[in-house]
């Protein structure tokens, strides 16, 4: 199993290659860390979730199915995260963040 520290490195690397704007990703991640600190939640979970939540946005856009990017990102994350040493709660929290980042269901 890979560490959570390695997961943070890996998701950032993948996200940089999949987003339309690295500057926007960097800005969003900075704001996410600020919010995590303000709300006293795990900054790693927020960081990982933010890197994964729109990971498949460009793929969905190219398929003309942008509304499916959340489901596509979620499907990727469900399998990808299994390689890392996360607790069940951390795993579910990350998936919940991805699933609900457009307010589509309750947390």
């Amino acid at each position: 199993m890979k560490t959570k520290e390695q997961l943070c490195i890996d998701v950032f690397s993948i996200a940089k290659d999949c987003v339309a704007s690295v500057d926007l990703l960097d800005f969003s991640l900075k704001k996410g860390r600020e919010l995590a600190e303000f709300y006293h939640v795990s900054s790693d979970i927020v960081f990982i979730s933010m890197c994964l939540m729109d990971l498949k946005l460009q793929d969905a856009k190219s398929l003309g199915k942008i509304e499916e990017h959340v489901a596509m990102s979620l499907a990727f994350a469900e399998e990808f995260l299994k390689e890392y040493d996360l607790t069940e709660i951390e795993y579910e929290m990350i998936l919940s963040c991805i699933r609900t980042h457009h307010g589509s269901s309750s947390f």
Side-chain angles (χ1 to χ4, degrees):
M1 285 276 170
K2 299 176 189 175
T3 66
K4 196 183 324 174
E5 180 179 275
Q6 186 62 49
L7 174 56
C8 290
I9 294 166
D10 292 348
V11 294
F12 183 67
S13 177
I14 293 168
K16 284 191 315 184
D17 292 338
C18 294
V19 296
S21 168
V22 175
D23 289 338
L24 182 57
L25 174 66
D26 287 338
F27 175 79
S28 298
L29 293 172
K30 179 179 182 242
K31 292 300 176 186
R33 287 210 185 267
E34 290 172 8
L35 288 170
E37 185 176 313
F38 180 82
Y39 287 106
H40 306 289
V41 298
S42 169
S43 62
D44 285 342
I45 298 299
V46 171
F47 181 86
I48 294 162
S49 301
M50 291 183 72
C51 284
L52 292 171
M53 64 181 49
D54 285 331
L55 193 66
K56 296 296 181 177
L57 183 61
Q58 296 303 316
D59 291 347
K61 185 177 178 181
S62 69
L63 294 171
K65 298 180 179 188
I66 200 163
E67 68 282 353
E68 294 181 25
H69 83 277
V70 174
M72 292 169 68
S73 296
L74 189 60
F76 173 84
E78 286 172 339
E79 292 304 313
F80 178 77
L81 292 172
K82 290 178 182 177
E83 299 177 24
Y84 298 88
D85 187 24
L86 297 169
T87 67
E88 185 65 26
I89 291 171
E90 290 170 326
Y91 178 80
E92 291 301 329
M93 287 175 70
I94 293 167
L95 295 181
S96 182
C97 289
I98 295 167
R99 190 179 301 112
T100 62
H101 80 274
H102 285 289
S104 55
S105 62
S106 61
F107 182 69

